[in-house]
Amino acid sequence: MRETTGIALLVDLVGTFLAQLSLILMKQTDENSSYTSFRWFIGLLCLIVGSITHILVLPYVDLVLLSANYALSILIGLVLSVTMLNESFSVKKDSPAIVMIFTGCLITVFTANEKVEKLSLIELKGLLFSTQSCVFYVYTLCTISLAIWSYSYLK
């Protein structure tokens, strides 16, 4: 069980890296050809693969561990933006934010409910494809589509 959790956390870390890389790639595109450029398309593919990776590891890792793992996405995004976008690291602004994020993750980990609930694969699939989950997926898709549309419309 521990090996599975460790492997799933590493796979999720790769998904987190891909999701953060996607945002950097999309941000690097030219504003005039943003949705038609090859770099933006590769960024979108990285985002899709990263998101699917997050979903696939859910049955194998405790959600509290995943939430702590997602704090690493802040650091990954920071490192990628400094290296790939030539943005500056502000010790005055970035350091307190990083400390607060990791403090929040530690508080979440240490105060989490330790009750372990075992679900079968069929139950997990049922939860992933339940009406409530599907409504969430549609809502998220619509929200993202609206954000992309409004961003391109307001330019």
Side-chain angles (χ1 to χ4, degrees), residues 9 15-16 20 43-44 75 79 90 95 100 113 122 127 136 154:
L9 276 172
T16 301
Q20 291 300 314
L44 181 64
L75 280 180
V79 169
S90 171
S95 297
M100 290 174 69
N113 185 2
I122 295 171
L127 288 173
F136 171 75
L154 295 175

Side-chain angles (χ1 to χ4, degrees), residues 8-24:
L9 276 172
L10 287 175
V11 169
D12 188 62
L13 190 59
V14 170
T16 301
F17 175 79
L18 286 173
Q20 291 300 314
L21 179 64
S22 73
L23 300 175
I24 300 296

Side-chain angles (χ1 to χ4, degrees), residues 17-137:
F17 175 79
L18 286 173
Q20 291 300 314
L21 179 64
S22 73
L23 300 175
I24 300 296
L25 290 173
M26 289 177 171
K27 193 172 182 182
Q28 283 182 330
T29 58
D30 182 26
E31 289 184 19
N32 297 329
S33 64
S34 59
Y35 303 123
T36 58
S37 73
F38 181 72
R39 185 177 293 266
W40 190 88
F41 182 71
I42 295 298
L44 181 64
L45 285 179
C46 286
L47 182 62
I48 291 169
V49 171
S51 298
I52 290 172
T53 303
H54 290 318
I55 292 171
L56 291 178
V57 298
L58 284 176
Y60 304 104
V61 183
D62 186 35
L63 290 177
V64 175
L65 288 176
L66 285 180
S67 68
N69 198 18
Y70 295 148
L72 290 176
S73 70
I74 304 297
L75 280 180
I76 292 170
L78 180 65
V79 169
L80 289 176
S81 65
V82 168
T83 56
M84 295 179 74
L85 297 175
N86 296 326
E87 293 182 359
S88 61
F89 176 80
S90 171
V91 175
K92 185 178 179 181
K93 295 177 184 174
D94 293 335
S95 297
I98 291 171
V99 168
M100 290 174 69
I101 289 167
F102 280 99
T103 302
C105 281
L106 286 175
I107 290 171
T108 301
V109 168
F110 289 125
T111 60
N113 185 2
E114 294 181 15
K115 179 184 169 192
V116 177
E117 191 173 326
K118 297 285 183 181
L119 298 173
S120 69
L121 189 58
I122 295 171
E123 291 172 321
L124 288 171
K125 286 181 182 177
L127 288 173
L128 279 174
F129 297 110
S130 68
T131 304
Q132 185 177 3
S133 295
C134 290
V135 167
F136 171 75
Y137 302 146

